[in-house]
Amino acid sequence: MRSDEAGYSKFGVGSVTRFYIPLLLQGFSQSLAYPLVAGIVTHGQHGVDALTAFSQGQMVMFMIGAIGGGLITTGLVFAKTWMGYVAFKRLNALMMAALLAVQCVVAMPPFSGWIFSGLFNLPAELAHIASRTLLFAAVMNGLFFLRNVPMVVLFNNLDSAKANYATLIRLVVTFALAVCFPRLGLVGPWWGLAALTFGVGVELAATWLFARPYVARLPNRPKTENARSLPNIPRLTLEQFRFTLPLSLGGFLLMLSPVAIAAFVGRTADPKDMLAIHYVTLGVANPVAYAALRMQTVAIKFPPEYAGDRRLLAYSVVAGLLLGVVPLAFSTPLVGAWYFGSYQNVPPRIVDTARLAVGLYSLITVVQTIRARVEGLAVLAKRPKTIMAGQIAYTVSLFTVCAILLPVGVPGWAMAITAIYIAPVCVTATIYAMLAFRR
């Protein structure tokens, strides 16, 4: 299964596809859970406006969680032995505790008012929903952090299929709750959050069960696990923290981008309609975009075998084109009218615009697979600062595009799509340039 002790494998369309498809399905499935529970949220008291507040509360949660976004990449590099695994578990726990504390503080006044009433310009009742969503979502965010450890173990053993099985179990559970809750009258943002959180808890339990046999087989495991037998753990934890810090800072900047887009879109003409279009279309575009970004893990596990080896680049382009079929399907009258009009409860006046917007997202998957592949090359070179530079370029370009388009009166949904296309192109160009310069 592996070509060397580092856990890498030789390129082959079959072997890459067998590894990537479970990752792809996992990324797609994880993001699909959010539009599933949107049906619970939008049929509550505030309708589709509640989804805006619910999404913005979660967006701030993910922005805070993104400070730990480099942990899985760090685990792929370092957690291949028992010592590295124990150090990674410790680093993951420390970062989880710190970031969950930050999340709870930010959800309280006066910070919540500054963010949701001030920055996002939400009315008082929607700002309250957003702040409560952020606070109670701390449980779900903690489960995501705990999931990092078994997920890394499965990826390091090239067993992405079992990680995918766990996510599919989560999706089935979430789907069942999304069907049952509205029939029982359990609608609104709090029941939507409950469905999401329960699904993530089930996924965590399944992932741990799948990873346990691999943990037992990790090399250099001591016979007794006392403090004397693990003298290097603090040093290894510090080494891993230094590696993950640039990735984490870059991830924070990356997750700051949706916040920036929402702030700009909320200041365009017809802000409620523009934000509704933005969020319901991202509910379709994000799952396939996250699936495309799983190409980074593939690039780490299938490194170039010779100078100028671009076979995985070609594979990435084809994979991106195939993924783009999904948002394209949602732009059709048959699928789009049902999904946006009936399931998501979008007002009829903006259904056609939502269909147009989601169709325009059909090529973003190609951009994201190419970007993910070059980020994987930077990880292989152990250059996290290069990845952080790319993510800085992402944030700066996104801000710049929105700042240019807002004064000229571009509709909010079109401004968001333009920025979301240009930003990952800037990431890819920046990382390619820095890797080439180093060579």
Side-chain angles (χ1 to χ4, degrees):
M1 180 171 64
R2 291 183 281 184
S3 62
D4 58 32
E5 295 180 356
Y8 301 135
S9 186
K10 291 184 177 180
F11 181 90
V13 173
S15 56
V16 170
T17 301
R18 284 191 295 272
F19 184 67
Y20 179 53
I21 285 181
L23 289 175
L24 178 154
L25 292 174
Q26 184 193 42
F28 183 80
S29 302
Q30 285 178 348
S31 299
L32 189 61
Y34 302 98
L36 279 178
V37 302
I40 300 175
V41 177
T42 57
H43 284 84
Q45 178 183 354
H46 297 283
V48 74
D49 291 337
L51 180 61
T52 297
F54 184 73
S55 299
Q56 289 183 341
Q58 287 191 83
M59 186 167 56
V60 176
M61 178 201 77
F62 285 122
M63 184 181 70
I64 294 169
I67 300 176
L71 284 168
I72 286 184
T73 302
T74 301
L76 291 175
V77 175
F78 290 98
K80 298 173 183 176
T81 64
W82 177 253
M83 293 291 191
Y85 168 77
V86 172
F88 176 69
K89 279 180 62 178
R90 180 174 296 185
L91 175 64
N92 188 69
L94 291 172
M95 293 191 71
M96 176 184 70
L99 294 174
L100 291 182
V102 170
Q103 179 175 339
C104 291
V105 170
V106 170
M108 299 293 185
F111 305 104
S112 59
W114 295 345
I115 295 170
F116 299 114
S117 297
L119 178 62
F120 292 142
N121 198 28
L122 290 177
E125 66 274 13
L126 296 185
H128 175 75
I129 291 173
S131 63
R132 296 301 92 179
T133 299
L134 176 60
L135 178 63
F136 298 134
V139 177
M140 182 170 66
N141 210 11
L143 296 175
F144 281 136
F145 274 101
L146 293 174
R147 191 191 62 183
N148 286 341
V149 177
M151 196 76 72
V152 161
V153 172
L154 292 174
F155 288 165
N156 275 336
N157 286 275
L158 297 179
D159 200 349
S160 56
K162 287 182 180 175
N164 180 53
Y165 297 155
T167 302
L168 289 177
I169 293 171
R170 167 192 169 189
L171 187 62
V172 170
V173 170
T174 306
F175 176 75
L177 296 178
V179 172
C180 293
F181 278 11
R183 293 183 178 180
L184 297 173
L186 306 177
V187 293
W190 317 130
W191 288 108
L193 183 60
L196 280 176
T197 304
F198 186 77
V200 176
V202 172
E203 180 188 26
L204 171 63
T207 309
W208 266 116
L209 288 174
F210 291 143
R212 285 182 64 186
Y214 294 118
V215 173
R217 297 199 294 267
L218 283 169
N220 83 2
R221 182 170 184 168
K223 294 182 179 179
T224 59
E225 296 172 24
N226 53 45
R228 291 184 179 181
S229 68
L230 303 174
N232 294 323
I233 295 302
R235 178 183 60 80
L236 291 173
T237 303
L238 181 60
E239 179 185 359
Q240 292 184 22
F241 176 71
R242 287 172 176 167
F243 181 85
T244 200
L245 188 59
L247 298 175
S248 298
L249 293 175
F252 176 78
L253 290 173
L254 197 61
M255 287 306 299
L256 186 63
S257 302
V259 177
I261 290 178
F264 279 104
V265 173
R267 284 162 173 76
T268 58
D270 300 319
K272 281 191 175 182
D273 283 353
M274 294 301 102
L275 284 170
I277 293 169
H278 175 56
Y279 284 121
V280 296
T281 53
L282 281 184
V284 176
N286 275 346
V288 290
Y290 287 135
L293 287 172
R294 293 291 185 174
M295 192 61 68
Q296 182 189 112
T297 304
V298 178
I300 294 170
K301 288 301 176 183
F302 292 85
E305 298 172 27
Y306 50 84
D309 184 0
R310 293 184 176 85
R311 290 174 295 173
L312 189 60
L313 175 60
Y315 184 95
S316 300
V317 172
V318 174
L321 289 171
L322 293 175
L323 285 171
V325 173
V326 176
L328 196 61
F330 278 84
S331 68
T332 62
L334 179 63
V335 178
W338 168 81
Y339 177 77
F340 295 117
S342 300
Y343 185 74
Q344 295 287 19
N345 201 28
V346 170
R349 65 180 180 275
I350 58 174
V351 168
D352 288 342
T353 307
R355 286 176 43 222
L356 172 62
V358 79
L360 293 174
Y361 277 123
S362 58
L363 288 178
I364 193 66
T365 49
V366 178
V367 178
Q368 297 289 29
T369 51
I370 295 173
R371 164 196 168 186
R373 183 252 180 186
V374 72
E375 285 179 339
L377 295 180
V379 172
L380 287 169
K382 292 192 175 181
R383 295 183 59 188
K385 291 181 180 179
T386 298
I387 298 176
M388 185 177 73
Q391 291 164 343
I392 291 172
Y394 185 102
T395 306
V396 170
S397 61
L398 190 144
F399 266 93
T400 303
V401 171
C402 289
I404 291 172
L405 296 182
L406 179 62
V408 299
V410 173
W413 66 269
M415 179 172 65
I417 291 174
T418 304
I420 288 170
Y421 262 100
I422 292 176
V425 172
C426 292
V427 175
T428 306
T430 300
I431 295 178
Y432 264 125
M434 291 186 70
L435 291 175
F437 179 77
R438 179 64 178 267
R439 285 196 295 268

